[in-house]
Amino acid sequence: SLVGYKNPPAVTFNVLNQTKTLSAALCCYFVMGRVQSKVQIASLFLLLLSALVLEKIIPLHLRPLPRHQPAETETDAGELTSNQYGGSFKTHFLGGVLPVLVASFTSGLAGALTQRSLQQHGRNSYLLTMELSTASLLVLLLSLVKSPDGRKIRKEGFWKGWTAKTWFPVATNAAGGILVGLVTKYAGSVRKGFALIMGLFLSGVFQAMTGKIDGDDDGSGVVTREQIVGGIMAAVSLWLHSSFPSNR
């Protein structure tokens, strides 16, 4: 996901990153045999649309088209290029789109495997969270050996730039990891995807309350049209997914 974040535009990354809920439902079917009803499948796509609206990828107001569209050209190697991608189509796809799609799919697969471990094998969610955190810590430590961040830490020290406020996101992220384990165990990885989209809606509301949204710095923030519509769509999709389960 970090590799894919560097090459495609931010809009493309956000769109592709929201497919993890769909991949979670697909992986739950292959790993656990959890079948989704037709209404539940439709609610998953509605959830994806709500995320795109919340991220303002799908605008709710019409904008005039630019007078001059950047022309797409074809290189000697047959690669489609465009100013939007800032390079060749091959680089955009192989170095951006494909890694994000793979990361989203592996996220859904990991969620399905975690759900099976917690629900079918009766694993303790707190212990499993500790195991996953330990594995992540080892991978991060290994990545610091050659990464620029690792060289910066060795040069300036690990605590460089830390303040008392730094501990707040550290604590909330740690608490969030514990809650994710509980949600996965008792609600499932697909429902967790619904919670993540509702989190986008709540984040936008909190930003609006603090007046730090869309350049509004006068403290009189307002909830945008996209946040209202996206929140309603997410709520409807959650109701549909909960009310019309599969009979199989």
Side-chain angles (χ1 to χ4, degrees), residues 107-178:
S107 175
L109 178 60
L113 293 174
T114 302
Q115 182 177 344
R116 185 182 67 174
S117 178
L118 291 172
Q119 294 182 351
Q120 295 183 353
H121 299 165
R123 293 291 309 279
N124 185 286
S125 61
Y126 299 101
L127 180 59
L128 182 61
T129 301
M130 293 175 60
E131 294 172 351
L132 294 176
S133 300
T134 302
S136 299
L137 179 60
L138 293 176
V139 172
L140 286 175
L141 289 177
L142 290 176
S143 67
L144 292 178
V145 175
K146 295 294 184 179
S147 66
D149 290 334
R151 290 192 293 268
K152 186 175 181 180
I153 290 176
R154 289 191 295 269
K155 180 180 179 181
E156 301 179 357
F158 180 80
W159 304 104
K160 176 69 175 182
W162 281 61
T163 63
K165 295 181 179 179
T166 308
W167 289 100
F168 182 74
V170 172
T172 54
N173 192 43
I178 297 175

Side-chain angles (χ1 to χ4, degrees), residues 207-208 210-222:
Q207 288 178 353
T210 57
K212 300 297 183 181
I213 189 169
D214 292 336
D216 183 15
D217 296 327
D218 59 359
S220 58
V222 295

